[in-house]
Amino acid sequence: MCDICMKSPHDPRCPNATADASYICEFCQEPIADGDVCYELDGNRWHEECFNDNAVDILLERFEARKEIAGGY
């Protein structure tokens, strides 16, 4: 998280934000700056925070994972 804008990725108005980006995040559609940690899944890139915040939804949607109650109750 940035000490100035308090966001990850940076707010576009933040002086630490960079225009150098290799990818666009699949979730938030913001640039993923060169040097940032990101995840790749099926050719799409995700900011680390976006991926972590949406991991369960990604698994449910892309891999047909299921959420259920054990024992069928």
Side-chain angles (χ1 to χ4, degrees), residues 31-71:
I32 299 173
D34 291 347
D36 282 355
V37 174
C38 65
Y39 289 89
E40 185 273 329
L41 178 65
D42 292 338
N44 298 310
R45 300 300 194 292
W46 303 70
H47 290 112
E48 183 174 29
E49 184 175 329
C50 291
F51 188 86
N52 290 336
D53 289 349
N54 294 284
V56 171
D57 291 335
I58 294 165
L59 290 171
L60 290 169
E61 179 182 322
R62 303 238 175 146
F63 299 105
E64 299 180 12
R66 294 184 310 162
K67 180 178 179 180
E68 60 184 32
I69 297 172

Side-chain angles (χ1 to χ4, degrees), residues 4-38:
I4 295 173
C5 69
M6 306 304 284
K7 295 190 181 231
S8 179
H10 294 286
D11 185 294
R13 299 167 292 182
C14 178
N16 288 333
T18 177
D20 298 332
S22 297
Y23 308 107
I24 300 296
C25 178
E26 177 72 11
F27 178 71
C28 70
Q29 299 300 305
E30 295 291 326
I32 299 173
D34 291 347
D36 282 355
V37 174
C38 65

